[in-house]
Amino acid sequence: MVKFRVSLTDSQITNKSHFVLIIHRDFDKFMIPNITYKYVICTMQVEKMANQSSNDGAPKETSFNNRKDELEEDKLTRKYNLVEEMNFLFVRIVKVIDFPNIPNLYIEVKLGNMKATTIYSESKLSWNQVFAFEKDKIHADNLVVLVKDKTMPINMFIGRVQFIVGEIPTRRPTESSSAPQWYRLEDQTGANLDRGALMLSLWFGTQADEYFPQAWCSDTTRISSDAIAYTRSKVYMSPTLWYLRVNVIQAQDLLLRFPPESSEIFVQADLGTLRTRTCFSKNKSAKPFWNEDLMFVAQEPFNEKLVLSIVQRTPANHVCLGTYTTNLKDVQKRTNDMPAESFWYDLDQPGMIGTAPYAKFASKLNARISLDGGYHVSDEPIEYSSDYRPSSKQLWNSSVGILEVGILKATDLLAMKMGGRTDAYCVAKYGPKWVRTRTIVDSLSPNWNEQYVWEVYEPFTVITIAVVDNNQLDSGSRARGTRDTIMAKIRIRLSTLERNKLYTHSYPLIGLHPFGVNKMGEIHLAVRFSTGEFPWSFNMFRFYSTTPLIPSMHLLLPLSPKQFDNLRNQAARIIETSLSRAEPPLGREVVSNILDMSSDVWSMRKGIANYCRIMSLTSDFIAFWKWLEDIKLWKNSFESFLFIVQCLIFVLYPEPMLPLACFYFFVIGLNNYRKRPGYPCHIDATLSCVDTATQDDLQEEFDLVPTQFGGEHLRRQYDQLRRIGRNVQIQANHLANFIDKLQSLSSWRDPRATLLFLVYCVFGFLVTFFAPFKFSMTIWILYYLRAPRFRNVSIFSVGNLFDRMPSNEAFIL
């Protein structure tokens, strides 16, 4: 904040106005009341009045143009300019004084047919609660604030204060909050009470008001006080996660409890509730050797302990030979591929009964333990992740833009509860930042009109937005552990958005459930990706071409697919636990669904969808092959003749081939520019094959491991899986036969065929060595594309020889 003295002159304003403003960094977006901007003289005299001392102690003069860049430094400062402005009447109840201490005292606010009550006071007659009534739903002229006792009849009250709605002031977003004032209470006849005063404040404001996130909105006033926290909007942050690498090398001087020949020795690692172990040592002695990496996901501030245990196992017993415990805060951190330092750690041996719990002894463990900050700890599928930054902030690049999302409303939602009710809220996730809108109670067309901002570090990222039905508003549902219901979700990839363009569209909510697929409604969003000059500068070319998508640590020390999958599950569980402990908690089912933890589960629907994707990509090649066959059969003589001439030109003059190919792709891209979509790419129901999925396929997709089905249903699913496996086996058999035939060409399994193949090789060597390449290619093209009248089905072909090559299929049982 910077304080300025501003002088404005206007031909339409008779008096010269001098006033002091608090100028925000986005000064050009704020409105000054009672000033028409088109009449303001552009020659504004702005005198800086901040406490900046100079050499002579005099204040410096600063023009608006000189301050413009500095005022726009904070890119995350934004107004509510993507969403519709919603006006509310705010009533802030603070406390009462000079009043008997009644344990069951509470305040009731009545506005027409809308009513809101505070919680019951216990000792101090203080509440400090804020209520927000939507202005469009106000149809009363008077606002009545009643002081009541729980033991009194419902139509009786102790005292009241009345206000005329039309006289309540309006508060601008740039103004300070309204100060609460004392109001004398009056009885039912309108006479002032001898004792008692109520402190409150009233004003009209918007959803940008600072009290709006904590206010009890008019649609949630019927909710109990213990459930109101579950209706408020919140911002959550995922914990910062690191990979913990434990390279177990070897141990020495172990006191073995069993003969090493009949037992196995391994190292077990425990971090909190997570546990993993090494393979069995091949060196069965008191000096076992492993040299194996054990990986964990650890979260800052690293308060957990790592416990390494050497275990000797027999079929009947497991015995711990020694343990080593360390705090994660003491573990070495590294951000590059340099190996961590190796240490010999003294082991502690569990003592016997009646002795000290742990006693020092000579056994040692050699290991490297490090926290790797050069990796990106993935909690989402890598192909549509919302963040690719490494764990260590030292390796972060500067942001490339700002993502602004306005969650406007939803329309035509399906009823999720008895009585045709839906209590919907939205959850959006991008990077480590999660946002949750307020819950609109009992509405099938909720209006949220909330706006959120994220910093963007990589355009090839996806934001996920889900619509959820709130099942935590009833104490009975919370006691039973009822989970929230995820109605549907959408994803938007940022790299498909144009620079600084505002997209305001509605997106279909396709709900996938075990009982079928439904359209759950539509969600209306306003999305803008602001990147400044980044996309059209040289930095864009350098960023896309030279900057790897994932941190370089993944390329220098890659993780195996099994490790990556296991670590992703660990990261998801940590985030679920962290967000479920927040207030209000974000349910584990919501976090798991947005992170798409079931993306790698077997699904017939996804298998068909991936097959269709592959066929759509190969359709152009298949069409070209069919067209080439038509050319070969001379179905269109003129077209076949032109194609042969073109091929001969490329053979005789190959120099323009590559330039023409580049120009061809350039023309295709330029032609597709006119056909580019005018809306962001999002989840496609047709691409997902949800319209062709059967109920049995969906039930199998949502089934757990081990399966929850049995009887006839399980038999049908098993038979279907066998049919799919049969088709896969047939294709795999064809591929194996082809590879076997290639190997048989020179393996002398069939001596006559191999001898003939060698003759072909000698003939090919002589032809290609003595005949010019252009001559050979011309002869081959003319031979391959010869007219049908010159063809003979029994003519000699190399394919006949390949078909006769033996394979190993005949020798498989």
Side-chain angles (χ1 to χ4, degrees):
M1 294 292 190
V2 181
K3 182 183 282 188
F4 290 81
R5 183 177 297 278
V6 184
S7 298
L8 301 178
T9 60
D10 194 314
S11 58
Q12 302 291 328
I13 302 176
T14 57
N15 298 327
K16 186 176 181 180
S17 302
H18 297 274
F19 53 94
V20 176
L21 291 178
I22 300 298
I23 297 186
H24 196 273
R25 291 185 183 273
D26 286 340
F27 171 75
D28 56 330
K29 296 182 179 179
F30 280 91
M31 299 288 292
I32 303 177
N34 302 324
I35 297 294
T36 305
Y37 281 93
K38 65 179 181 180
Y39 293 127
V40 176
I41 304 300
C42 293
T43 58
M44 302 177 76
Q45 297 178 357
V46 182
E47 181 183 357
K48 185 177 181 181
M49 299 183 62
N51 294 327
Q52 294 182 353
S53 59
S54 58
N55 294 332
D56 55 359
K60 297 180 181 179
E61 294 185 358
T62 306
S63 65
F64 178 74
N65 291 331
N66 293 336
R67 291 286 301 164
K68 184 176 181 180
D69 294 335
E70 186 174 346
L71 294 177
E72 294 181 351
E73 285 180 357
D74 189 1
K75 297 183 291 184
L76 290 178
T77 304
R78 290 290 188 270
K79 283 184 60 179
Y80 272 64
N81 52 2
L82 297 187
V83 298
E84 300 176 2
E85 186 179 85
M86 299 180 66
N87 294 307
F88 293 88
L89 171 58
F90 291 90
V91 181
R92 181 187 176 194
I93 307 297
V94 183
K95 60 182 178 179
V96 296
I97 62 169
D98 194 19
F99 211 79
N101 190 3
I102 303 176
N104 295 323
L105 198 69
Y106 68 98
I107 306 297
E108 179 180 292
V109 181
K110 294 186 65 176
L111 186 60
N113 57 355
M114 293 185 290
K115 181 176 66 174
T117 59
T118 65
I119 59 177
Y120 298 114
S121 64
E122 296 180 357
S123 57
K124 297 182 180 180
L125 302 180
S126 177
W127 294 274
N128 197 23
Q129 288 185 233
V130 182
F131 301 97
F133 299 91
E134 195 169 346
K135 187 176 181 180
D136 294 340
K137 297 180 181 179
I138 297 177
H139 303 291
D141 297 330
N142 295 321
L143 171 70
V144 184
V145 181
L146 306 173
V147 180
K148 288 188 172 186
D149 183 6
K150 183 180 179 181
T151 60
M152 298 176 62
I154 191 171
N155 58 347
M156 299 294 293
F157 59 87
I158 300 175
R160 69 181 179 186
V161 181
Q162 299 189 72
F163 301 91
I164 300 176
V165 176
E167 296 179 358
I168 297 176
T170 299
R171 178 193 171 194
R172 303 292 180 181
T174 56
E175 297 175 350
S176 301
S177 59
S178 300
Q181 300 181 21
W182 291 104
Y183 296 91
R184 299 293 300 180
L185 297 175
E186 60 183 30
D187 58 15
Q188 298 184 10
T189 62
N192 291 333
L193 297 178
D194 296 334
R195 302 179 55 185
L198 176 62
M199 176 181 278
L200 59 85
S201 59
L202 305 95
W203 70 94
F204 279 104
T206 65
Q207 72 267 39
D209 196 285
E210 61 183 276
Y211 285 99
F212 182 75
Q214 65 189 40
W216 291 27
C217 296
S218 55
D219 59 338
T220 61
T221 52
R222 66 176 181 84
I223 303 300
S224 60
S225 59
D226 59 341
I228 195 65
Y230 293 90
T231 66
R232 290 172 176 166
S233 59
K234 289 292 179 180
V235 176
Y236 307 87
M237 295 299 296
S238 298
T240 303
L241 305 178
W242 290 57
Y243 283 152
L244 173 64
R245 183 188 297 268
V246 182
N247 177 231
V248 181
I249 303 175
Q250 59 183 331
Q252 68 178 16
D253 299 332
L254 296 180
L255 300 179
L256 302 181
R257 302 290 186 87
F258 308 104
E261 297 80 7
S262 60
S263 63
E264 304 290 350
I265 302 176
F266 61 90
V267 175
Q268 178 179 287
D270 294 273
L271 181 67
T273 59
L274 302 175
R275 171 175 291 182
T276 186
R277 69 174 182 85
T278 64
C279 298
F280 300 137
S281 173
K282 296 181 180 180
N283 183 15
K284 297 185 177 183
S285 66
K287 296 182 178 180
F289 182 84
W290 296 278
N291 194 21
E292 184 177 343
D293 283 343
L294 303 179
M295 301 288 292
F296 291 97
V297 176
Q299 61 175 323
E300 293 183 355
F302 307 122
N303 293 325
E304 296 178 316
K305 291 184 178 181
L306 173 67
V307 180
L308 300 179
S309 306
I310 299 181
V311 181
Q312 187 177 17
R313 190 191 78 164
T314 64
N317 294 311
H318 287 68
V319 177
C320 179
L321 303 181
T323 61
Y324 171 74
T325 304
T326 182
N327 294 318
L328 290 188
K329 292 182 178 180
D330 302 329
V331 173
Q332 174 189 353
K333 296 181 180 179
R334 64 170 184 165
T335 58
N336 51 35
D337 60 330
M338 297 297 295
E341 192 172 355
S342 172
F343 291 99
W344 284 95
Y345 299 103
D346 295 326
L347 299 181
D348 296 326
Q349 183 182 27
M352 307 301 291
I353 299 177
T355 63
Y358 292 96
K360 290 289 183 181
F361 69 118
S363 298
K364 296 179 181 293
L365 175 65
N366 184 210
R368 295 185 178 95
I369 306 176
S370 63
L371 287 166
D372 294 347
Y375 289 98
H376 165 66
V377 180
S378 179
D379 55 354
E380 300 169 291
I382 199 68
E383 187 61 30
Y384 48 92
S385 177
S386 62
D387 192 11
Y388 295 98
R389 290 175 294 171
S391 300
S392 177
K393 294 183 179 180
Q394 301 175 0
L395 304 179
W396 289 6
N397 297 322
S398 59
S399 62
V400 299
I402 295 297
L403 172 64
E404 299 171 90
V405 177
I407 303 176
L408 305 179
K409 61 181 178 179
T411 56
D412 301 328
L413 295 181
L414 289 184
M416 304 299 294
K417 296 183 177 70
M418 297 294 293
R421 294 175 46 245
T422 296
D423 307 322
Y425 67 92
C426 286
V427 176
K429 196 263 183 187
Y430 183 79
K433 180 179 176 181
W434 301 65
V435 299
R436 169 179 177 160
T437 67
R438 71 186 190 279
T439 299
I440 306 298
V441 179
D442 194 10
S443 176
L444 300 182
S445 297
N447 289 308
W448 294 288
N449 283 303
E450 298 184 23
Q451 181 174 337
Y452 299 95
V453 182
W454 288 269
E455 277 191 285
V456 178
Y457 293 86
E458 168 60 53
F460 186 75
T461 46
V462 173
I463 181 173
T464 304
I465 303 174
V467 179
V468 187
D469 180 47
N470 197 336
N471 293 324
Q472 310 303 316
L473 305 183
D474 179 67
S475 59
S477 298
R478 294 197 301 274
R480 293 190 299 269
T482 305
R483 297 183 175 185
D484 292 346
T485 304
I486 294 87
M487 300 179 66
K489 63 184 176 184
I490 66 167
R491 301 189 192 99
I492 299 177
R493 188 176 293 280
L494 271 60
S495 58
T496 62
L497 305 179
E498 296 186 17
R499 177 175 64 107
N500 299 331
K501 180 179 178 180
L502 178 62
Y503 294 86
T504 55
H505 297 279
S506 63
Y507 304 87
L509 297 173
I510 307 299
L512 191 63
H513 306 284
F515 51 82
V517 180
N518 290 324
K519 182 179 179 182
M520 311 300 292
E522 292 186 351
I523 184 171
H524 299 252
L525 302 175
V527 182
R528 180 167 59 203
F529 181 29
S530 304
T531 59
E533 299 299 325
F534 170 76
W536 306 108
S537 63
F538 175 75
N539 292 334
M540 178 273 296
F541 175 79
R542 184 181 62 182
F543 186 84
Y544 267 77
S545 302
T546 63
T547 304
L549 177 64
I550 57 178
S552 57
M553 196 76 166
H554 289 270
L555 306 177
L556 299 175
L557 293 176
L559 302 173
S560 66
K562 183 179 179 181
Q563 281 181 324
F564 183 83
D565 185 64
N566 182 33
L567 293 173
R568 181 180 168 234
N569 290 331
Q570 291 185 29
R573 286 196 295 268
I574 292 175
I575 295 176
E576 289 177 7
T577 303
S578 176
L579 299 185
S580 64
R581 294 175 178 175
E583 185 61 36
L586 196 59
R588 293 176 178 269
E589 67 282 358
V590 178
V591 176
S592 177
N593 186 275
I594 291 181
L595 295 180
D596 206 359
M597 295 309 300
S598 60
S599 59
D600 55 351
V601 176
W602 160 252
S603 169
M604 173 67 73
R605 176 186 60 83
K606 290 183 179 180
I608 296 175
N610 291 329
Y611 175 78
C612 293
R613 288 170 57 198
I614 296 174
M615 294 307 297
S616 65
L617 294 176
T618 59
S619 59
D620 293 338
F621 298 98
I622 296 175
F624 174 76
W625 182 262
K626 292 181 178 179
W627 176 77
L628 187 62
E629 289 295 320
D630 293 341
I631 294 294
K632 180 180 176 181
L633 297 176
W634 286 68
K635 292 185 176 181
N636 188 331
S637 303
F638 181 72
E639 186 177 3
S640 300
F641 175 76
L642 289 181
F643 181 75
I644 293 175
V645 172
Q646 184 180 11
C647 292
L648 294 178
I649 292 176
F650 280 143
V651 171
L652 299 177
Y653 304 98
E655 291 81 6
M657 183 180 297
L658 288 179
L660 287 177
C662 295
F663 181 74
Y664 172 73
F665 287 111
F666 171 76
V667 171
I668 291 178
L670 204 61
N671 182 56
N672 290 337
Y673 180 78
R674 298 182 294 104
K675 305 175 184 178
R676 69 189 187 280
Y679 51 87
C681 298
H682 57 280
I683 292 179
D684 191 340
T686 303
L687 183 64
S688 304
C689 293
V690 296
D691 51 344
T692 60
T694 64
Q695 186 172 351
D696 287 345
D697 294 339
L698 296 177
Q699 289 179 352
E700 181 185 23
E701 183 174 344
F702 284 89
D703 192 15
L704 302 177
V705 178
T707 181
Q708 305 298 307
F709 297 111
E712 183 66 21
H713 184 276
L714 183 61
R715 188 191 63 79
R716 289 200 311 269
Q717 296 297 327
Y718 180 68
D719 291 342
Q720 183 183 22
L721 185 61
R722 292 179 63 188
R723 287 192 293 270
I724 296 174
R726 173 183 175 275
N727 295 331
V728 173
Q729 177 180 309
I730 291 175
Q731 300 302 323
N733 182 58
H734 291 337
L735 179 61
N737 287 340
F738 180 80
I739 296 175
D740 284 344
K741 290 177 181 292
L742 286 178
Q743 294 177 343
S744 299
L745 288 173
S746 58
S747 65
W748 293 91
R749 286 184 180 178
D750 185 344
R752 290 166 292 277
T754 301
L755 179 61
L756 187 58
F757 172 71
L758 296 181
V759 172
Y760 285 161
C761 292
V762 172
F763 178 76
F765 168 76
L766 296 176
V767 171
T768 55
F769 184 80
F770 292 103
F773 176 76
K774 295 181 180 180
F775 175 78
S776 302
M777 287 299 300
T778 302
I779 296 299
W780 182 84
I781 291 174
L782 293 177
Y783 174 77
Y784 182 77
L785 298 177
R786 64 193 184 278
R789 68 180 64 181
F790 301 111
R791 295 179 183 273
N792 189 350
V793 294
S794 61
I795 198 169
F796 175 79
S797 173
V798 179
N800 298 331
L801 172 65
F802 187 81
D803 292 337
R804 288 182 169 86
M805 299 305 299
S807 67
N808 292 326
E809 183 180 6
F811 308 110
I812 298 177
L813 287 176

